[in-house]
Every structure is written in structure tokens, then in C-alpha cells.
Amino acid sequence: MSEERTAADLPLPGGNFRLMIQRMGYQGLLGLGLLENPVTGTKQVNLTTAKMVLEDLRMLTEKTAGNLDAEEQEHLDGIVKDLEGAYAKAS
């Protein structure tokens, strides 16, 4: 019998803007049911969560306008665009 895992068992490093955006994008993909949840081992669609993540990323885009380097901005824009497309297909 395997032990039940929790999110706390899978810590991620912090303090990196690109990594933070990547984690948010990952949460959006989980909400869209496109990725398997590493804790539960299942794919579950939760459009409310996906929409919340997408709205947070859009807000972050607006709030950081002019303050990101080109690579950070490209990364953020790419994740928003990918999630928008996936969300449109799922909803």
C-alpha cells in the first residue's frame, strides 16, 4: 500500500519570475484537465480554477507592463496566449 502524498511533499523553489509564471500556467493547465495532477494521479476539469488563473495572469500582464525584460514579457505573453486558446476550446 502506497502512502498518500500531498502538495507539501512536492515543494517548488521560489523567487524567480519566470518560474512563478510557469507554475501559474501549470495550475491553469491542471484546471483545464490537460495535465495529470501529480498528487491525485488524475485529470480533472475545473473551468472556474482555469479562468481564475487566466484572469490573474492577465492582471499580472497589465500590472507589470513596462517593468519586465523582453524574455520575461515573452514568457508571460506566451503562457497567457496558450491558456486563452486552451480555455476557449474547453469552455
Side-chain angles (χ1 to χ4, degrees):
M1 187 182 298
S2 65
E3 291 184 38
E4 187 173 323
R5 294 175 17 181
T6 66
D9 297 327
L10 305 167
L12 294 172
N16 179 295
F17 184 80
R18 286 181 53 116
L19 184 57
M20 179 188 76
I21 298 305
Q22 192 67 40
R23 285 193 309 257
M24 292 177 74
Y26 184 79
Q27 291 300 314
L29 293 173
L30 284 171
L32 291 168
L34 297 175
L35 296 178
E36 183 178 286
N37 183 313
V39 176
T40 66
T42 63
K43 291 182 179 183
Q44 300 171 329
V45 176
N46 185 331
L47 292 179
T48 302
T49 296
K51 183 178 180 182
M52 178 192 68
V53 170
L54 186 52
E55 288 174 353
D56 286 349
L57 286 166
R58 288 175 179 151
M59 177 192 63
L60 193 58
T61 299
E62 291 174 18
K63 297 288 186 181
T64 60
N67 291 312
L68 302 176
D69 65 38
E71 190 175 290
E72 291 169 332
Q73 188 66 57
E74 182 178 329
H75 188 65
L76 177 55
D77 291 344
I79 288 181
V80 169
K81 182 180 176 184
D82 290 347
L83 282 178
E84 285 174 335
Y87 183 82
K89 288 179 184 176
S91 58

